[in-house]
Amino acid sequence: MASGLFNLHRTVGGTMGVALTATLMDYREDVHLLILSQRQALYPLGTEVATNAIRGVLIQDGDSGGRSLRRPPESCARS
């Protein structure tokens, strides 16, 4: 008789623990999704600032229009 009651309590406790854990995980998922979506909205601003800074450095060095990315003239090519 006592082992049956112990088994019943163990089963009910395990079931409630799983249900509570699933509920908390579902709630925390919503919280983390909100935090990540707020942080993701800030990335374009940082990218724009970094792109403008790199563009400014390249313009100061004399690269207007991406000339450093093009292939070198044929006279500079190796034989």
Side-chain angles (χ1 to χ4, degrees):
M1 181 84 170
S3 67
L5 287 175
F6 177 75
N7 193 21
L8 175 67
H9 284 113
R10 187 177 59 140
T11 304
V12 170
T15 304
M16 292 183 76
V18 169
L20 180 65
T21 302
T23 303
L24 289 175
M25 286 179 64
D26 189 42
Y27 170 74
R28 294 302 295 174
E29 179 184 10
D30 293 339
V31 171
H32 288 291
L33 182 64
L34 179 65
I35 291 170
L36 286 173
S37 66
Q38 288 173 348
R39 287 184 182 175
Q40 188 176 13
L42 299 176
Y43 285 136
L45 298 176
T47 305
E48 184 178 348
V49 169
T51 304
N52 289 336
I54 292 170
R55 184 178 291 129
V57 169
L58 291 176
I59 289 173
Q60 282 180 344
D61 289 342
D63 182 22
S64 58
R67 280 184 280 156
S68 65
L69 299 177
R70 294 185 190 149
R71 291 177 44 186
E74 293 298 322
S75 61
C76 295
R78 295 183 200 173
S79 306

